Amino acid sequence: MEDTALKPIFDWFDKQGWNPLPFQLETWRAYLAGKSGMIQVPTGSGKTYAAVMGAIATMLQAPSRGLQLLYITPLRALSRDIEQSIQRPILEMGWNLRVESRTGDTSSSKKTRQLKHMPDILITTPESLSLMLAYPGAKELFKFLRGVILDEWHELMSSKRGTQAELSLSHLRGICPNLQTWAVSATLGNVQEAAQVAVGLNADPVIIQTDIQRKTVIKSILPESVDSFPWAGHLGLHMLDELVNALDIEKSTLIFTNTRFQSERWFQALSYAMPEHTHRIALHHGSIDVKEREAIEAGLKSGVIKWVVCTSSLDLGVDFQPVERVVQIGSAKNLARLLQRAGRSAHVPQGTSEIFFLPTNALELLEISAFRKGLEAGDMEVRRPLNRPYDVLIQHLVSLACGDGFEAKETLQNLRSTVSYANLTNEEFTWILEFITQGGKCLSSYPRFKKVVLENGIYQISDPQIARMHRMGIGTITSNQAVQIRYMNQTKIGTVEESFVSKMQKGDVFFFAGKQLEFLMMKDMVVYVKAAHKKSTVTPTWAGGNLAISDSLSAHLRHEIEISREGGNLNQELKCVLPILSAQKRISHLPATNELLIEVCKTREGQHLYVFPFEGRFVHEGLGFLWGYRFANQKNATFTISVNDYGFEILAPKDYPFQELFSEQFFDTQNLHEDIKASLNISELTSRKFRGIAQVAGLVFKGYPSAKKTANQLQVSSSLLYDVFSKYEPENLLLKQAEREALDEQLEVHRLARTLDRIRQLTTVWKATRRPSPFAFPLLVERLNSRMSNESLLERIERMKQQWSR
């Protein structure tokens, strides 16, 4: 019977000359059996058709009306590609099914039409789904829904957008108890947990995996000598000539960078290096206007554009089959991220992905070597769901109140069927209901915070104006306020952050989206520019956290250092970086995996303590402040702390007795949270986190589309609320969430505790050096960079490198 239902699918596959892969057949049959689960196979193996064809077979076998399949994707850019992929068999076979997308890029007229006549299959984002639930008639809209597909689930799951999707799904399951959910993922280390998060706690997920092996070939572009190559920092532009010589303009190539600023600078450099091919090189990142991004994607698919410098905007499942090669500039810091990017090339089952790795500094050669070993071992990072983010829940409940309303008991039951809110207590839920109806203890005197009212057992929105304001703020992505860039004829170019534009004066020229632009004026949060002939190196910078090496990668990194310590058969990266490692061994020590290296060094600046756990910058930030606090408790002093992915530095006054004060208590995790709070300005860190939480929870209104609030206005509003809650309502759940996010997300306190446990087992190796060692060099640069002019910094760096080489 199952194969009878699948006959239309088999017919289309036969028409293409394809045979369904075993994992595709397994997925279709599981879907027809009414099961939910997760598909976890390599990138480019045919996941999309595995996910949708079972649902399509059901729709063809038992036709229904209205929306039957919801396809949720993390990026708007993916929706176009997915729509085309699903549309193809439907058009070729003449199936009576309609497919449409509904994202932030969809026109208002099309959205209005969709609400009156929904397609059979709708492709959307978590934000757009939440917005649909925030309109009356949502139950009627979704009552025929049979299935939901969560695409690129590894990207969504461990973020607030994933939690937003979880909450929306819990409500849809309340409307449609037999709703099936299938998650699709390529790179995850905790598949069972991820599947459970996707399907909810009331279902037993089926895990579909495959033995398809996609080979990933990593080729390093190495400097001729590390003596003349930067030892820390930098964008990698020193290797411009080497990259151009290694690539072929006739081969379709994605050149990945880790930041938008870096992508802009590399696009400038490549355009300068290859002026005769500028029409074949493009720039793609999330701040460039959507129409230009679409044109670039179309040019890449058609082969008109050969090289695209990009960021994570092209990380995920867009199918660019012409792409033959991928370049990663700088360490990807994460095995899953590198594998995902490598998978953009040879995007077909059993294809061989080729990725060129270009280091931006010498010590990244160690990371390249660690990446290769990690992928060979099949290691992959885990991603975990968030634990009860109250701001997302508040937004969700107000959205439901804007729609058909909700009943408390039924909604709490739905919430507890999710992994993120399984442990939500009655007291927490009661507090949140009081918060959205009365404004809590502190805001009860202000009508705008009394958003929801209880009528006949149903929580509904209190005022249509509040509903309109809430719908404009739906979403969980918060960042510095963005302003649009337009030509005077209103043609959109993209967006930059307000903080960058605020420093500009009329006539200033800057480089953005591959164009030289002259600033004319800023009006109503829109920057007006004109094309400029004057060249400029001024490039916008965007706020964003530094990427930190993952757990899995850090373990391989430590192992690579031990291999280089022992000598023997070294790979090309370790051979290239060997002069630096030899200098480290001569001046200090190369630590084995069972050793913790601590260096002390006295200079004119004071007494330096360098510690190298190799656990990532966020762990080291917490560890540095924690150890500084515990040192100060024994002998008071003022410390300066610097961190990077390899270790941290504590700079103290001259002759500070670090080694005498070092003891077992430095590894203690008993009072870890309390000591971290005491060691850091936790109130400032918490206040920064609270700004984003206040926006998600709807406490701060970002303004209307034609009158957006400035970043300063938003900051003042959220800071005022933070101060009021701290003083008069310290038990406020949003305050507690801000503190939890500051500790767990910013400082990775859980990983920090594991690090303390690990290094307690290690042999501590103390080394007194006459000058900072090569491993300490990046920490030195990080600290000096904020205190010295660039010229004097470079002079000092070169002087120190010459000393090391001697």
Side-chain angles (χ1 to χ4, degrees), residues 362-370 557 560-561 574 577 581 775:
L363 290 180
E364 277 189 340
L365 292 165
L366 286 169
E367 294 183 51
I368 298 175
S369 185
L557 182 63
E560 291 307 286
I561 293 171
L574 293 183
V577 79
L581 299 179
F775 279 1

Side-chain angles (χ1 to χ4, degrees), residues 227-244:
D227 290 334
S228 58
F229 190 59
W231 287 11
H234 298 272
L235 301 176
L237 292 170
H238 290 76
M239 298 282 284
L240 174 63
D241 291 341
E242 286 87 344
L243 179 63
V244 171

Side-chain angles (χ1 to χ4, degrees), residues 420-708:
S420 291
Y421 296 95
N423 298 319
L424 185 72
T425 66
N426 290 334
E427 292 76 19
E428 289 170 330
F429 188 61
T430 301
W431 184 93
I432 288 171
L433 290 177
E434 183 183 343
F435 190 77
I436 62 177
T437 54
Q438 301 299 321
K441 184 187 294 185
C442 294
L443 304 176
S444 56
S445 300
Y446 302 92
R448 67 172 290 253
F449 295 109
K450 298 179 180 180
K451 299 182 177 183
V452 178
V453 294
L454 179 61
E455 293 182 357
N456 301 321
I458 302 296
Y459 286 88
Q460 296 177 316
I461 202 69
S462 61
D463 182 80
Q465 175 67 12
I466 290 176
R468 284 193 291 271
M469 293 170 65
H470 174 77
R471 291 183 189 118
M472 280 187 281
I474 284 178
T476 61
I477 300 174
T478 60
S479 61
N480 284 358
Q481 189 73 323
V483 296
Q484 280 195 357
I485 304 178
R486 295 182 184 179
Y487 291 120
M488 291 301 289
N489 66 1
Q490 299 297 323
T491 301
K492 296 178 182 177
I493 306 172
T495 59
V496 293
E497 289 180 357
E498 181 194 348
S499 56
F500 170 75
V501 178
S502 64
K503 301 168 188 173
M504 304 210 74
Q505 297 181 356
K506 185 177 180 180
D508 286 351
V509 175
F510 63 100
F511 190 93
F512 174 75
K515 303 173 177 68
Q516 299 285 346
L517 303 172
E518 181 179 336
F519 178 81
L520 298 177
M521 65 176 177
M522 179 172 167
K523 184 179 180 182
D524 297 330
M525 297 298 282
V526 176
V527 175
Y528 291 96
V529 299
K530 69 177 183 180
H533 299 292
K534 176 186 172 184
K535 299 294 182 183
S536 172
T537 57
V538 176
T539 305
T541 55
W542 287 264
N546 288 305
L547 298 178
I549 57 173
S550 64
D551 262 344
S552 300
L553 185 60
S554 64
H556 288 286
L557 182 63
R558 291 191 294 271
H559 185 61
E560 291 307 286
I561 293 171
E562 180 160 24
I563 290 174
S564 63
R565 177 175 182 261
E566 294 170 353
N569 188 20
L570 304 180
N571 61 29
Q572 57 177 346
E573 291 87 12
L574 293 183
K575 286 179 182 176
C576 187
V577 79
L578 197 57
I580 295 178
L581 299 179
S582 298
Q584 173 70 27
K585 189 173 183 179
R586 186 177 70 251
I587 294 169
S588 173
H589 180 72
L590 278 177
T593 52
N594 64 343
E595 293 177 335
L596 172 69
L597 174 61
I598 301 179
E599 297 175 0
V600 286
C601 173
K602 186 196 292 188
T603 69
R604 287 177 297 176
E605 296 175 296
Q607 188 76 12
H608 304 258
L609 179 80
Y610 296 105
V611 186
F612 301 101
F614 298 96
E615 285 287 353
R617 65 169 54 243
F618 300 132
V619 172
H620 295 157
E621 185 179 358
L623 207 54
F625 283 105
L626 175 70
W627 280 21
Y629 171 74
R630 290 177 173 176
F631 276 127
N633 274 347
Q634 299 177 74
K635 183 175 175 60
N636 199 24
T638 301
F639 299 127
T640 301
I641 296 172
S642 303
V643 303
N644 68 5
D645 275 326
Y646 305 145
F648 60 93
E649 175 200 35
I650 302 178
L651 175 60
K654 288 184 179 179
D655 299 320
Y656 190 84
F658 283 118
Q659 194 161 356
E660 294 174 19
L661 302 177
F662 194 71
S663 64
E664 186 66 24
Q665 75 177 70
F666 282 88
F667 310 119
D668 182 35
T669 58
Q670 195 74 29
N671 301 307
L672 183 60
H673 278 71
E674 290 72 17
D675 283 0
I676 285 285
K677 290 178 194 177
S679 65
L680 278 168
N681 184 358
I682 197 67
S683 61
E684 172 57 28
L685 206 56
T686 303
S687 176
R688 280 209 308 270
K689 286 290 180 184
F690 182 81
R691 290 172 203 162
I693 289 169
Q695 290 181 45
V696 174
L699 293 176
V700 177
F701 181 51
K702 295 181 182 179
Y704 296 99
S706 60
K708 292 281 187 182

Side-chain angles (χ1 to χ4, degrees), residues 165-359:
E166 262 194 286
L167 289 170
S168 296
L169 283 176
S170 73
H171 184 69
L172 291 177
R173 291 181 188 120
I175 299 172
C176 311
N178 295 322
L179 186 68
Q180 292 174 254
T181 309
W182 281 87
V184 180
S185 174
T187 45
L188 264 179
N190 53 329
V191 178
Q192 183 65 45
E193 182 182 24
Q196 197 68 67
V197 176
V199 305
L201 293 174
N202 294 334
D204 186 15
V206 175
I207 309 293
I208 308 279
Q209 294 178 304
T210 179
D211 57 0
I212 292 176
Q213 297 296 321
R214 294 203 67 211
K215 189 177 178 183
T216 300
V217 177
I218 298 176
K219 297 182 179 179
S220 298
I221 301 175
L222 302 175
E224 288 186 11
S225 168
V226 291
D227 290 334
S228 58
F229 190 59
W231 287 11
H234 298 272
L235 301 176
L237 292 170
H238 290 76
M239 298 282 284
L240 174 63
D241 291 341
E242 286 87 344
L243 179 63
V244 171
N245 292 334
L247 300 183
D248 181 352
I249 193 63
E250 298 302 328
K251 281 196 171 184
S252 183
T253 304
L254 294 180
I255 302 172
F256 281 103
T257 64
N258 289 335
T259 66
R260 284 168 285 184
F261 173 79
Q262 192 178 17
S263 69
E264 292 272 357
R265 293 297 303 276
W266 265 96
F267 177 76
Q268 289 180 55
L270 289 171
S271 300
Y272 174 79
M274 304 185 69
E276 70 279 14
H277 294 296
T278 52
H279 62 290
R280 307 175 82 183
I281 306 172
L283 173 64
H284 191 292
H285 60 69
S287 293
I288 295 174
D289 185 66
V290 60
K291 290 184 178 178
E292 186 160 347
R293 296 201 309 269
E294 288 176 359
I296 292 166
E297 291 163 20
L300 183 61
K301 287 183 180 181
S302 67
V304 174
I305 294 173
K306 287 298 184 181
W307 292 0
V308 178
V309 184
C310 56
T311 61
S312 55
S313 58
L314 290 183
D315 260 8
L316 303 179
V318 182
D319 186 9
F320 294 126
Q321 287 194 18
V323 172
E324 300 171 76
R325 182 177 285 163
V326 169
V327 176
Q328 171 65 44
I329 296 178
S331 171
K333 302 295 182 183
N334 181 296
L335 291 164
R337 184 180 297 113
L338 181 72
L339 200 61
Q340 187 74 32
R341 291 180 174 180
R344 298 299 98 213
S345 68
H347 200 74
V348 292
Q350 296 178 320
T352 297
S353 299
E354 183 182 59
I355 185 163
F356 278 66
F357 217 143
L358 185 140

